[in-house]
Amino acid sequence: QVQLVESGGGSAQPGGSLTLSCVASGFTFSNHGMTWVRQAPGKGLEWVSGIYSDGSDTYYRDSVKGRFTISRDNAKNTLYLQMNNLQPEDTALYYCGKHSSDYYSIGVEKDYDAWGQGTLVAVAA
């Protein structure tokens, strides 16, 4: 049974940092691209970041470039999102997703066949 379990969310002040983790089980993690998406209250899904199965290629949406870093540890079956210089507009529920292949695709939900339950990030002064 495929499972993705996110953790690491919480409250932060503007300029603060948080690191999200997504522990994967039930599939060969190293064979699949992964993504982080987020959904703010009352808004649609935003693709935040993506990473190839071997970590050799990554994607960031413009608003998080230079502030967020996606990484993975295939030996630990874990995906990470290091978030620095957090801003109120980063407030959202963050989800990790498993791509059906070894790369990532942006904005195409049907390419992802498993999602975690989400972890909440709240940024306020």
Side-chain angles (χ1 to χ4, degrees):
Q1 179 185 357
V2 173
Q3 271 198 312
L4 299 171
V5 180
E6 301 100 334
S7 62
S11 298
Q13 292 188 333
S17 298
L18 288 171
T19 301
L20 306 184
S21 299
C22 169
V23 178
S25 61
F27 66 100
T28 304
F29 181 69
S30 58
N31 286 353
H32 292 271
M34 299 291 293
T35 192
W36 286 100
V37 302
R38 66 187 181 188
Q39 188 163 27
K43 295 190 176 181
L45 212 57
E46 280 189 346
W47 249 258
V48 177
S49 188
I51 187 168
Y52 270 24
S53 58
D54 62 0
S56 62
D57 189 66
T58 57
Y59 159 85
Y60 299 95
R61 67 180 297 109
D62 285 346
S63 61
V64 308
K65 281 181 184 175
R67 301 189 297 123
F68 290 11
T69 303
I70 190 171
S71 63
R72 62 191 297 159
D73 186 337
N74 285 345
K76 294 183 178 180
N77 291 346
T78 304
L79 175 74
Y80 302 99
L81 186 68
Q82 172 70 44
M83 305 186 294
N84 297 328
N85 191 20
L86 282 162
Q87 300 301 313
E89 54 266 33
D90 297 317
T91 295
L93 200 54
Y94 284 71
Y95 300 91
C96 62
K98 166 187 171 286
H99 199 279
S100 57
S101 187
D102 59 353
Y103 51 90
Y104 59 83
S105 50
I106 301 305
V108 187
E109 281 188 65
K110 67 177 179 62
D111 288 349
Y112 292 85
D113 52 22
W115 296 94
Q117 81 291 347
T119 187
L120 181 63
V121 172
V123 184

